[in-house]
Amino acid sequence: MIESKPQIERVFIEKSSSLYPLSEKVLNNLGDIPQQEVDDEEEVREYLRLVKDPIGKGKKMLLLKSFKGDFIKPCPCTPHYLGCNYFIINADLNCPMDCSYCILQHYLDNPVLTVHVNTQDLWAELDRFLKTNKDRFLRIGTGELGDSLALDHLTERSRELISYFRDRPRANLELKTKTTHIQNVMSEKPAENIVIAWSLNSEKMAAAEETLAPPVRDRIEAARQVQSRGFRVAFHWDPLILYPGWEQGYSEVIEQLSSKIDPCRIAWISLGSLRFPKPLKSLIRKRFPSTRIIYQEMVNGKDGKFRYFKPLRIKLYQKVVERLITHIGDKVPLYFCMESKEIWKKVLNKEPGSKEEVEYFLSLLPRFDAD
Ligand code: SF4
């Protein structure tokens, strides 16, 4: 299993944030690379405006700053489709990997890798948030506006988050990644409410479209190790992509998954298919001229995003679900990310009426009889 660490070329430190313990930790872990103090984030934006590919360059630059907004937000999901009531922790932003389809290229207004160093404010906000929601089950994670473990060798954030949530069993913390950076996770004691999740694709799509991300077999091996340590794992098959040979490509990964992972300890598997808003299409064309994935026939969805025609999505999902059930059984909860109720019904034969029902469905534990 190859563990490649991102190459950071320069670190910017917001003047008012240099004394935070997390700033010191990251700088120590980074070692000897150029550092530059800045008054604020705008200075970094200015710096990146001058380069040819600000998004690509931003993946090699790191900004340490304190965050003044709300750390915890409901996942924006997408209008007119069924969500899952997920909450996002805005701890670190952006990602050093470079997937052609990545929505962050369009979604975030600053492409620099950003670590929010005012961790005390995060814990205080989490305390308040969990207290307000103390009577309900929650799913919350750091992997929506970045990759949960890509910068973990610098921040060691996974260790603190796992420690924090271990004593708060009504909240399920999910750390979602494409990396094999599991060293810090492996050094922590597992807990039932901590889920380590991997985004998967076929090997062919990973190699072609997920620049700098490890091969899928390495991600599955990392998941195997984390599961052997005692953690529950999860998988996100998103975006599923239609390409010549997709059935074979996805079947192979599912077979690999079933040979290495115990389904009884899979918390959930989500499925989603390629989608993107119009402005992202132009960006992908510009940044990834050799990709073919944006040239298939697509329909403009109710949320303004291009996606495959419904019959094609249904076929894609049905095939993947059928292979999953054949190989890992029918006990692992499968759900859709940003899909319609009609697709839920046609593919999973489930009819959740609301995101709260999806949340409840994902909270039902344990699902396996002890035998
Ligand atoms: S790993 Fe995730 S966050 Fe990182 S570039 Fe790929 S899609 Fe974006």
Side-chain angles (χ1 to χ4, degrees), residues 59 95 97-99 101-102 104 146-147 178:
K59 290 173 178 291
C95 169
M97 291 168 277
D98 205 0
C99 304
Y101 53 76
C102 181
L104 299 185
D147 181 287
K178 279 195 181 96

Short mmCIF file of all heavy atoms in Angstrom, two decimals, residues 59 95 97-99 101-102 104 146-147 178, ligand 1:
data_model
loop_
_atom_site.label_atom_id
_atom_site.label_comp_id
_atom_site.label_asym_id
_atom_site.label_seq_id
_atom_site.Cartn_x
_atom_site.Cartn_y
_atom_site.Cartn_z
N LYS A 59 -3.58 23.69 -4.48
CA LYS A 59 -3.43 22.37 -3.88
C LYS A 59 -2.02 22.13 -3.34
O LYS A 59 -1.75 21.13 -2.70
CB LYS A 59 -3.78 21.28 -4.91
CG LYS A 59 -5.27 21.27 -5.23
CD LYS A 59 -5.61 20.32 -6.35
CE LYS A 59 -7.11 20.31 -6.60
NZ LYS A 59 -7.90 19.71 -5.53
N CYS A 95 -8.48 20.23 -0.96
CA CYS A 95 -7.92 18.88 -0.97
C CYS A 95 -6.71 18.83 -1.90
O CYS A 95 -6.77 19.41 -3.00
CB CYS A 95 -9.02 17.95 -1.47
SG CYS A 95 -8.46 16.31 -1.87
N MET A 97 -5.57 16.28 -3.54
CA MET A 97 -5.79 15.43 -4.71
C MET A 97 -6.53 16.26 -5.78
O MET A 97 -6.98 17.37 -5.49
CB MET A 97 -6.59 14.18 -4.32
CG MET A 97 -5.75 13.23 -3.45
SD MET A 97 -6.72 11.94 -2.68
CE MET A 97 -7.38 12.75 -1.24
N ASP A 98 -6.63 15.72 -6.98
CA ASP A 98 -7.17 16.56 -8.06
C ASP A 98 -8.09 15.75 -8.96
O ASP A 98 -7.73 15.39 -10.09
CB ASP A 98 -5.98 17.15 -8.85
CG ASP A 98 -6.37 18.45 -9.55
OD1 ASP A 98 -7.54 18.87 -9.42
OD2 ASP A 98 -5.51 19.03 -10.23
N CYS A 99 -9.29 15.48 -8.47
CA CYS A 99 -10.25 14.70 -9.26
C CYS A 99 -10.90 15.62 -10.28
O CYS A 99 -11.32 16.73 -9.94
CB CYS A 99 -11.32 14.10 -8.35
SG CYS A 99 -10.63 13.10 -7.03
N TYR A 101 -13.76 15.63 -11.62
CA TYR A 101 -15.18 15.95 -11.38
C TYR A 101 -15.42 16.71 -10.07
O TYR A 101 -16.56 17.01 -9.72
CB TYR A 101 -16.01 14.64 -11.35
CG TYR A 101 -15.44 13.63 -10.37
CD1 TYR A 101 -15.63 13.77 -9.02
CD2 TYR A 101 -14.71 12.54 -10.83
CE1 TYR A 101 -15.09 12.86 -8.12
CE2 TYR A 101 -14.17 11.63 -9.95
CZ TYR A 101 -14.36 11.79 -8.59
OH TYR A 101 -13.83 10.90 -7.70
N CYS A 102 -14.36 17.03 -9.33
CA CYS A 102 -14.54 17.54 -7.96
C CYS A 102 -15.34 18.85 -7.92
O CYS A 102 -14.96 19.85 -8.53
CB CYS A 102 -13.18 17.77 -7.30
SG CYS A 102 -13.35 18.36 -5.61
N LEU A 104 -15.61 20.87 -5.54
CA LEU A 104 -14.96 21.95 -4.77
C LEU A 104 -14.31 22.97 -5.71
O LEU A 104 -14.14 24.12 -5.33
CB LEU A 104 -13.92 21.38 -3.80
CG LEU A 104 -14.44 20.42 -2.73
CD1 LEU A 104 -13.31 20.05 -1.77
CD2 LEU A 104 -15.59 21.02 -1.95
N GLY A 146 -13.57 18.92 1.87
CA GLY A 146 -12.18 18.51 1.78
C GLY A 146 -12.12 17.01 2.05
O GLY A 146 -13.16 16.39 2.22
N ASP A 147 -10.92 16.46 2.09
CA ASP A 147 -10.76 15.03 2.39
C ASP A 147 -10.38 14.93 3.87
O ASP A 147 -9.45 15.61 4.32
CB ASP A 147 -9.66 14.47 1.49
CG ASP A 147 -9.44 12.99 1.72
OD1 ASP A 147 -8.87 12.63 2.78
OD2 ASP A 147 -9.82 12.18 0.86
N LYS A 178 -10.11 9.48 0.44
CA LYS A 178 -9.66 8.60 -0.64
C LYS A 178 -8.23 8.14 -0.36
O LYS A 178 -7.66 7.42 -1.16
CB LYS A 178 -9.67 9.35 -1.99
CG LYS A 178 -11.02 9.44 -2.67
CD LYS A 178 -10.86 9.85 -4.12
CE LYS A 178 -12.20 9.98 -4.81
NZ LYS A 178 -12.71 11.35 -4.84
S1 SF4 B 1 -10.57 13.50 -3.19
FE1 SF4 B 1 -12.60 14.40 -2.97
S2 SF4 B 1 -12.22 16.48 -2.25
FE2 SF4 B 1 -10.28 15.70 -3.08
S3 SF4 B 1 -10.22 16.38 -5.20
FE3 SF4 B 1 -11.11 14.32 -5.19
S4 SF4 B 1 -13.35 14.67 -5.07
FE4 SF4 B 1 -12.33 16.59 -4.48
#
